[in-house]
Amino acid sequence: MATEERSAAPHLGAVEQLGEEPDFTVGTPPTGIPGRARTEKARRVVTYAVLLAVSILFFVPFLWSVSTSLKTLPESVGFNLIPEHPTLNAYRQAFSAFNFDRYFVNSVFLATVVTLTNLVLASIGGYAFARIRFPGREVLFLAVLATLMIPDQLRLVPLFIMLTNAHLIGTYQGYFAINLVHATSLFLMRQYFLTIPKDFEEAAKLDAAGYFKTFSRVMLPLAGPALAAVTILTFQGTWNDFYWPLIIFQEDPSKFPLPLGISHFKDLYQTLWPQLMAASVITILPIAVIYVFFQRYFVAGVAAAGVKG
Amino acid sequence: MVVVAAVSAAAVAASGQGRSERSVAPQATQVSGNITFATWASNPIETKLLDRFLNAFRKKYPKIKVNHLTFEPGYPDTMLARFAARKAPDAFYVNMDLALDWTKQGVVQDLTPYIQKYHYSTKPFFPKLLSAFQVKGKTYGFPKDWSPLGMETNNALLAKAKVKPPQTWAQLKSAAQKLKDDVPGGRPICLSNNWDRLMAFVYQNGGTFINAKKTKSTVNTKAVKGAVDYYVGLIKQKLAGTPAQLGVDWCGEALGKQKAAIVFEGNWVAPYMKDTFPSVKYKINPMVRNKRRGNLAFTNSYSIAKQSKNKPAAWTLIAYLASRPGQKIWTGSGLALPTRGDVTPLARFKVLVREAPYAHPYQFAPKFSKVLDVSNNELSAVIEGKKSSQDMLKKIQQTANDALK
Amino acid sequence: MAAVRTDRVEGGRSADVREALVGYGFVALPMAVFIAFFIYPIGYALYISFFDWGILGKFESVGLDNYTRLFHDDLFWRSIKNTLYYTAGVVPAQMALGLLMALAVNQAIRGRAFFRAAFYFPSLAGSAAITAVALYLLSSDGLVNTILGTDQPFFGDSDTALQSIMALNVWTTSGTIMLFYLAALQSIPTDVYEAAAIDGAGLWRTFWKITFPLLKPGHFLVAVLSVVGCLKVFDQAFIASGGTGGPNYSTLTAVLFLYRTLFGDFEFGYAAAAGIALFFLIFFFTAVQRLLFGRAEVGH
């Protein structure tokens, strides 16, 4: 029962502690040495300036995308960040040019299912590789890592033949089958479970908990940040996935996710930049929302102050 | 049966051609079935046109259900996977680059039996274009449309410098010298660092890449070197710039942004300029010449899969698409140039169609995709001054000979 | 610290067997997926690498000819060289930048939510937009050149093309690395920081002597994913060079070589041989990393 009281990320208290100091040096007494406060302020200003500069650098593509999406095609070839005659024309076209709402629903469907299956299978598999002993464990784990080493292009033909023979081309099941769990997710979960002290499992054992109960009641709640990372990466990866939906859903446009619809705007000889950017901007919003929501688990936004020591 | 024949005869008679195209395909009442037709998508206008085109076909042959699939992007990859899985579409486009390889690999159907059975005349097709899809005398596809290279010149800039569109290599050079000061960056010609433009100049100098029998490469010769030195020379003398040097993706963009006054592109530049740079006025001129006239043809075909389970229906489709009435619909709006001499092109594209006798398809032999990659990489090395044209040609000849073995 | 097993009645062996069975049960479904959709294609590639194999199947058996030909293919070796150069440059940059950003954003500084979003943004946005922006900004009269007062066509010059792609990738993937490190940072126990504070350790010492080593499982994760991702680089090389690997072979990466062999010349067997060679190269790197810092398990 002691285990249930632990918060999702019990170690976060320390981070909050670090952050609440008026100066950034841990353990240094804040008073008593004149002049120290001024260098601290200078340091902070520099830090913020650097962070801001880097942020701007990283944010520029998004600003450019939004700006282009508000222009007309002739104007989109220019450099100006502010469109001269902003127009929502591209957005209107993005919505009407293809079945935007249908593709949006498909994307949500695909991303949600794949994220859920990954969360379940990666966490249970990752836990086993981290904490359960079975013969051949290391070899099997190497095999898992090996799956990362084969390029998609080389997998295309054998997988396509396999899926064709299994009548899975053009079906959602086919897409889900090959995406049930990704090695990256499992790898991430394993590494995270490795860092959790064994005391928790031992406590569970004392309470006569079986393996599955230990996993679901004790370890899983402790894995918040890792689960959040898997959620963000898998949702986003599936949301932006273009290659495999292209291969699998080719024959059935009613199953297209958004990236396939957007590629509509980039044909062989011509890129309709405003429409492409408008569609991209709309497409980014949901995954941006997912990111913003789940990345809270990375830092103690919610005060874990009660769990110090 | 009589109705169909009468309709085609009437259409033919109306155009005054006087040649009857009777029964080029199984009669409308006889053929039925479901077929898939796979294409890529060049631009949205073309997609709409293709829809209209297919609807016209469906009206004429209501018993044939055509399922049109668009594989864009990744058309070659997708087709490859389907061929490998024995799930190929019945009819499809074939890119000129891949035609020889797909034929050699045995995925494209030989059309000769159908041509004979239905007395389909292939005479109206421009011979060089049709030959791009013929191997050992057998036909594997009908060219659907094409374009050669034209020389596009910026009206305002040429007028300002009082220069007439050049017709020979010498005139091209002197025109560039006069135009130098009128473009930002001082390089009035845009020359792509790719053999798919350079090759036209090679033909103009009497050179070839491989011999007619396709047994060995002929690229390491004086004629080819002369062309290369002229082409690269223009760039090195700063009379011309590559797209990268001009800060654009391709020469069409240079024309539109008025960074170049003379570029060499095909008819694909027209919809691009119209949509993206509507205010820039330009003219399409014939290609320049040197010892002789030489140009490149870029074309694609309608073909049938060898694996197809409904070849008669697929044949009906491509026979219609490539026929005279079919091409009239397809090329009528000026999006593409007809591949048949008996279809009149739009007035402003006549200058391009007149290049047909000198336009060699930019295509050589199976397994040449790596050879062309090497050729383009070597060319960029020469342009950067890291290699001599002699060494480049030696290397290319060796690579090409390996591929031709 | 051995676990105290008080509930073992039967004896050591059957509890081990039970544990093993549970282990297999937990990993059964994931392993099935990996074997079917990854290991099988590797086996398939290995098989066809011994043949002259076309679109529709085998032409003839050629034994080791594909491998011998690969050995003498200077395009292949050039692609390997480019890929290794690329990896050696990108991996340290990505890891350092990702870690720095994770540390920065882990502090309770003002506006950290904004910074977290900003740093992650290039990873979030689709690669089409990012590559387009990069081609734009780095064109010979683009923003970067205007600021520097030069006219260098970054993607069009064999001396700078690959380096530009490297910078582009560091930019787009360091956000993801940041994410991995953020998750890893959460697992460092509170006591450790408190002990360091009591001992009077400064910020830098705390980081270097305590935080950094404790991130070992995170390092392994990041290093492996980073190296593997770099050795497989394809998309940007393809887009920036139009598929040729130019200019002057500078952007010809291993996977691009494979792609051209497969989809350009349709030599499936030869491409498979290249794929197998690349696979073993990546495997070698991963095994080395595993030896270096993959084995240690915190809390063991």
Side-chain angles (χ1 to χ4, degrees):
Chain A
M1 302 334 110
T3 50
E4 254 98 3
E5 276 164 12
R6 307 275 174 175
S7 76
H11 320 296
L12 296 179
V15 181
E16 270 300 88
Q17 243 184 335
L18 271 182
E20 275 155 19
E21 302 284 15
D23 52 0
F24 277 54
T25 18
V26 175
T28 310
T31 57
I33 303 171
R36 183 169 268 280
R38 254 180 281 136
T39 35
E40 284 319 307
K41 193 150 191 211
R43 202 205 282 199
R44 219 185 312 175
V45 167
V46 169
T47 312
Y48 273 110
V50 169
L51 288 175
L52 206 59
V54 175
S55 308
I56 292 179
L57 178 68
F58 277 41
F59 228 73
V60 162
F62 183 62
L63 293 177
W64 181 82
S65 302
V66 172
S67 156
T68 305
S69 70
L70 296 170
K71 294 180 182 170
T72 56
L73 185 56
E75 203 201 336
S76 68
V77 293
F79 270 132
N80 44 327
L81 255 184
I82 320 253
E84 276 173 24
H85 306 285
T87 162
L88 287 177
N89 199 26
Y91 286 92
R92 257 177 257 130
Q93 284 196 20
F95 279 112
S96 64
F98 52 88
N99 272 331
F100 197 89
D101 37 339
R102 172 86 220 174
Y103 295 173
F104 187 90
V105 167
N106 287 335
S107 279
V108 172
F109 178 49
L110 293 180
T112 311
V113 172
V114 171
T115 305
L116 288 173
T117 60
N118 264 270
L119 282 173
V120 169
L121 292 176
S123 55
I124 204 167
Y127 176 63
F129 277 114
R131 281 292 144 84
I132 301 184
R133 264 165 292 197
F134 50 95
R137 185 178 74 172
E138 296 308 303
V139 172
L140 283 179
F141 185 63
L142 262 178
V144 172
L145 291 186
T147 69
L148 294 167
M149 305 176 199
I150 180 164
D152 273 350
Q153 292 79 0
L154 202 56
R155 289 200 299 150
L156 171 63
V157 171
L159 280 196
F160 190 80
I161 298 180
M162 187 199 283
L163 291 172
T164 304
N165 292 338
H167 302 289
L168 287 175
I169 292 290
T171 65
Y172 288 121
Q173 301 89 298
Y175 185 78
F176 291 143
I178 63 176
N179 284 297
L180 274 177
V181 57
H182 301 138
T184 315
S185 311
L186 196 148
F187 192 10
L188 203 160
M189 295 305 301
R190 174 200 187 254
Q191 298 307 103
Y192 190 82
F193 280 127
L194 282 178
T195 64
I196 298 182
K198 291 205 165 180
D199 322 25
F200 293 101
E201 285 157 287
E202 277 150 34
K205 282 236 168 63
L206 285 172
D207 290 342
Y211 286 105
F212 191 73
K213 239 192 179 164
T214 312
F215 166 69
S216 56
R217 294 288 172 81
V218 178
M219 301 305 277
L220 210 49
L222 292 174
L227 292 172
V230 169
T231 305
I232 290 176
L233 291 172
T234 312
F235 195 93
Q236 177 187 319
T238 312
W239 188 267
N240 284 335
D241 189 9
F242 176 80
Y243 194 71
W244 291 105
L246 180 73
I247 302 297
I248 295 180
F249 296 130
Q250 218 24 286
E251 311 229 341
D252 190 356
S254 74
K255 298 198 172 79
F256 279 8
L258 282 172
L260 289 189
I262 291 180
S263 67
H264 205 69
F265 292 123
K266 192 184 193 320
D267 291 324
L268 211 47
Y269 290 128
Q270 220 179 346
T271 305
L272 300 177
W273 285 110
Q275 289 85 335
L276 182 65
M277 290 300 123
S280 304
V281 167
I282 305 171
T283 308
I284 275 190
L285 290 177
I287 44 179
V289 164
I290 295 272
Y291 176 69
V292 165
F293 181 75
F294 280 95
Q295 48 92 55
R296 272 197 261 141
Y297 286 95
F298 291 134
V299 186
V302 179
V307 192
K308 276 192 208 158
Chain B
M1 178 172 175
V2 177
V3 174
V4 173
V7 166
S8 2
V12 163
S15 66
Q17 208 217 342
R19 180 182 178 81
S20 91
E21 288 178 359
R22 56 173 198 285
S23 60
V24 297
Q27 302 317 317
T29 48
Q30 288 175 350
V31 188
S32 62
N34 295 333
I35 54 171
T36 42
F37 177 48
T39 70
W40 55 70
S42 300
N43 59 62
I45 308 175
E46 190 184 296
T47 309
K48 281 214 191 82
L49 182 59
L50 184 57
D51 285 340
R52 277 203 348 244
F53 200 9
L54 290 174
N55 282 334
F57 173 79
R58 289 181 184 110
K59 260 216 227 117
K60 184 160 184 191
Y61 293 94
K63 283 205 178 148
I64 302 181
K65 302 264 179 290
V66 180
N67 181 17
H68 172 214
L69 300 173
T70 314
F71 298 159
E72 183 67 45
Y75 181 82
D77 306 15
T78 315
M79 289 298 289
L80 189 70
R82 270 154 204 272
F83 286 137
R86 310 298 197 266
K87 224 182 164 250
D90 298 282
F92 44 84
Y93 287 173
V94 180
N95 192 294
M96 168 187 76
D97 305 340
L98 301 172
L100 297 175
D101 281 287
W102 284 10
T103 306
K104 179 143 187 237
Q105 298 270 340
V107 295
V108 189
Q109 170 69 33
D110 176 9
L111 299 174
T112 323
Y114 296 91
I115 294 176
Q116 286 166 351
K117 179 170 176 192
Y118 296 105
H119 310 288
Y120 192 89
S121 173
T122 57
K123 273 227 198 122
F125 290 114
F126 294 123
K128 281 206 165 69
L129 299 180
L130 187 63
S131 71
F133 306 105
Q134 289 176 320
V135 178
K136 294 202 179 51
K138 301 196 184 142
T139 307
Y140 291 90
F142 297 130
K144 85 185 216 326
D145 53 30
W146 74 296
S147 179
L149 296 174
M151 183 178 68
E152 288 84 25
T153 52
N154 184 311
N155 295 356
L157 291 174
L158 260 66
K160 185 160 167 234
K162 297 206 184 33
V163 167
K164 282 215 311 255
Q167 289 174 333
T168 64
W169 286 14
Q171 288 176 6
L172 180 62
K173 191 164 176 188
S174 66
Q177 275 154 347
K178 293 201 195 114
L179 286 162
K180 256 183 98 71
D181 301 315
D182 295 318
V183 288
R187 295 176 189 256
I189 311 177
C190 182
L191 289 179
S192 173
N193 53 333
N194 197 311
W195 277 78
D196 66 8
R197 297 291 180 272
L198 170 60
M199 198 62 206
F201 289 80
V202 170
Y203 284 124
Q204 289 158 28
N205 212 33
T208 53
F209 207 106
I210 58 178
N211 63 353
K213 287 217 183 82
K214 300 195 184 188
T215 51
K216 63 180 172 83
S217 168
T218 51
V219 87
N220 193 5
T221 54
K222 261 202 341 210
V224 177
K225 183 169 187 298
V228 172
D229 289 338
Y230 173 73
Y231 193 88
V232 176
L234 287 174
I235 299 176
K236 290 226 171 112
Q237 290 157 38
K238 298 214 168 44
L239 292 172
T242 63
Q245 287 169 342
L246 296 178
V248 294
D249 276 344
W250 64 302
C251 287
E253 194 182 337
L255 180 71
K257 289 187 173 166
Q258 306 204 65
K259 289 183 179 177
I262 305 179
V263 310
F264 300 94
E265 293 292 336
N267 83 316
W268 48 78
V269 81
Y272 173 77
M273 290 296 289
K274 177 156 158 270
D275 286 340
T276 319
F277 301 101
S279 57
V280 176
K281 301 279 175 271
Y282 66 100
K283 180 161 175 256
I284 304 181
N285 307 285
M287 188 47 146
V288 291
R289 55 178 299 176
N290 195 36
K291 290 197 188 136
R292 49 182 89 159
R293 300 189 65 169
N295 205 332
L296 298 172
F298 300 92
T299 180
N300 310 289
S301 77
Y302 299 114
S303 295
I304 303 179
K306 211 164 180 185
Q307 304 164 7
S308 169
K309 303 230 169 51
N310 196 343
K311 291 190 198 160
W315 161 262
T316 311
L317 177 63
I318 68 168
Y320 173 80
L321 294 175
S323 68
R324 188 163 175 271
Q327 288 216 13
K328 270 184 119 167
I329 300 178
W330 181 244
T331 65
S333 58
L335 257 191
L337 302 183
T339 55
R340 307 171 63 108
D342 56 2
V343 177
T344 328
L346 274 197
R348 64 189 150 107
F349 290 133
K350 282 212 169 101
V351 63
L352 290 176
V353 175
R354 274 191 233 119
E355 300 278 326
Y358 325 105
H360 308 252
Y362 182 65
Q363 174 206 65
F364 304 104
K367 300 227 172 114
F368 242 61
S369 125
K370 274 257 184 80
V371 177
L372 293 177
D373 280 349
V374 169
S375 309
N376 286 324
N377 274 294
E378 295 286 321
L379 180 61
S380 63
V382 174
I383 292 177
E384 279 181 28
K386 295 205 166 89
K387 230 181 191 188
S388 73
S389 59
Q390 188 67 61
D391 288 336
M392 164 181 86
L393 293 176
K394 232 200 292 199
K395 172 93 188 163
I396 296 177
Q397 173 139 312
Q398 180 202 327
T399 315
N401 281 332
D402 284 341
L404 288 170
K405 267 205 277 250
Chain C
M1 268 199 289
V4 177
R5 294 205 163 103
T6 52
D7 56 343
R8 248 198 295 173
V9 179
E10 308 93 315
R13 286 272 305 271
S14 29
D16 283 350
V17 168
R18 195 170 145 259
E19 184 177 356
L21 286 176
V22 168
Y24 288 131
F26 277 19
V27 304
L29 196 47
M31 290 314 298
V33 169
F34 295 138
I35 291 176
F37 303 121
F38 291 89
I39 307 292
Y40 162 70
I42 298 177
Y44 177 91
L46 185 61
Y47 177 68
I48 71 174
S49 70
F50 297 114
F51 293 87
D52 178 6
W53 194 282
I55 301 181
L56 293 179
K58 58 170 98 107
F59 284 123
E60 55 169 352
S61 168
V62 293
L64 286 174
D65 280 4
N66 283 328
Y67 290 99
T68 348
R69 181 173 158 207
L70 199 64
F71 191 76
H72 290 114
D73 189 341
D74 39 319
L75 271 185
F76 174 67
W77 287 114
R78 182 61 199 261
S79 76
I80 294 289
K81 177 165 160 243
N82 286 338
T83 309
L84 288 177
Y85 177 87
Y86 176 89
T87 307
V90 171
V91 170
Q94 259 179 11
M95 287 177 67
L97 192 55
L99 180 56
L100 270 172
M101 295 195 300
L103 288 171
V105 146
N106 209 25
Q107 313 290 324
I109 51 177
R110 252 179 297 188
R112 68 173 167 212
F114 166 76
F115 289 123
R116 254 199 317 258
F119 293 159
Y120 191 64
F121 218 82
S123 309
L124 197 64
S127 71
I130 297 279
T131 312
V133 172
L135 286 171
Y136 209 50
L137 292 175
L138 290 174
S139 68
S140 67
D141 58 356
L143 199 61
V144 175
N145 272 308
T146 315
I147 294 177
L148 293 175
T150 52
D151 66 348
Q152 171 77 344
F154 285 98
F155 284 105
D157 185 323
S158 61
D159 293 321
T160 54
L162 189 61
Q163 289 78 349
S164 306
I165 297 179
M166 288 163 71
L168 180 62
N169 265 328
V170 171
W171 186 38
T172 55
T173 48
S174 46
T176 314
I177 307 282
M178 174 188 79
L179 217 64
F180 291 135
Y181 272 129
L182 269 178
L185 278 173
Q186 304 323 304
S187 62
I188 295 179
T190 325
D191 343 39
V192 153
Y193 287 127
E194 286 175 354
I198 291 171
D199 285 346
L203 190 66
W204 181 247
R205 278 254 317 269
T206 312
F207 169 71
W208 205 224
K209 288 267 156 75
I210 298 170
T211 317
F212 193 77
L214 281 177
L215 283 175
K216 215 168 183 180
H219 290 319
F220 181 54
L221 174 73
V222 165
V224 169
L225 292 178
S226 194
V227 168
V228 168
C230 284
L231 290 171
K232 285 197 302 188
V233 62
F234 172 78
D235 284 345
Q236 276 91 350
F238 185 79
I239 296 173
S241 72
T244 59
N248 198 11
Y249 310 104
S250 55
T251 63
L252 182 66
T253 64
V255 178
L256 185 56
F257 173 86
L258 194 154
Y259 180 86
R260 294 307 274 174
T261 311
L262 195 55
F263 294 101
D265 286 341
F266 306 107
E267 298 189 285
F268 280 41
Y270 191 52
I276 295 291
L278 182 63
F279 174 77
F280 277 115
L281 179 69
I282 303 181
F283 196 85
F284 166 73
F285 270 99
T286 309
V288 164
Q289 286 170 81
R290 181 133 171 77
L291 281 172
L292 281 180
F293 47 3
R295 288 197 171 276
E297 293 176 13
V298 177
H300 223 171

